[in-house]
Amino acid sequence: MPSNDVRILAQAAVPTAAVGAIAAVVSGVVAGGKGAVGAVVATVVVILFMGLGLYVLQRTATSLPHLFQAMGLMLYAAQILLLFIFLAAFKNTTLFHPRAFAVSLVAGTLVWIAAQTRAHMKAKILYVEPDSTASMKGDRPEKSGRSS
């Protein structure tokens, strides 16, 4: 991953992990140990799903830029589908508190989106690659030899 991508990933994952830790403490106080486990599982799911999504989108942007927008839409649909599958698999679980999991999942997702948006806005990434040959020639058309 290029350095901008790693920076954006870190700037999104760190606040999400911090909110997950706070959610684990609050859930642990409110719902006990299973609440804390639910918050931790939700935080891991958010960081894993969103981080993987960011990685896939960055790879798509560099290799297939014409498919970037469609890939983004497909990726978000796939993330929601995977989340539904995860929820269906753990629907009747006693491993963690489901309400603590749900609240932590929503909070972590919102923090990830806000942090990623802020990181993108501060990154100042060029969306048009400058032409290296034109800048070396001074951006002026070459003269044909005729004088005007």
Side-chain angles (χ1 to χ4, degrees):
M1 278 182 123
S3 63
N4 280 336
D5 301 338
V6 173
R7 208 171 309 134
I8 289 170
L9 180 65
Q11 289 176 355
V14 170
T16 304
V19 166
I22 293 168
V25 170
V26 170
S27 297
V29 169
V30 173
K34 290 190 181 209
V37 171
V40 169
V41 169
T43 303
V44 169
V45 166
V46 168
I47 291 173
L48 184 67
F49 279 24
M50 299 299 247
L52 189 62
L54 180 63
Y55 175 74
V56 168
L57 277 179
Q58 295 302 331
R59 292 281 307 228
T60 302
T62 56
S63 61
L64 303 166
H66 59 284
L67 294 178
F68 182 70
Q69 186 175 15
M71 187 65 166
L73 292 171
M74 195 271 317
L75 180 71
Y76 291 128
Q79 286 176 331
I80 290 172
L81 180 64
L82 285 172
L83 183 60
F84 282 146
I85 292 170
F86 183 86
L87 291 174
F90 290 97
K91 182 170 66 173
N92 296 322
T93 188
T94 57
L95 296 174
F96 53 81
H97 193 269
R99 187 163 290 156
F101 173 80
V103 170
S104 300
L105 187 76
V106 170
T109 301
L110 291 175
V111 167
W112 179 282
I113 291 170
Q116 184 178 352
T117 301
R118 182 179 181 276
H120 272 292
M121 293 187 72
K122 292 182 86 54
K124 297 179 183 170
I125 300 170
L126 296 174
Y127 57 90
V128 175
E129 292 292 327
D131 188 17
S132 62
T133 57
S135 64
M136 290 174 30
K137 293 179 183 177
D139 289 330
R140 286 185 234 142
E142 293 185 25
K143 294 184 180 180
S144 61
R146 288 197 232 163
S147 59
S148 23

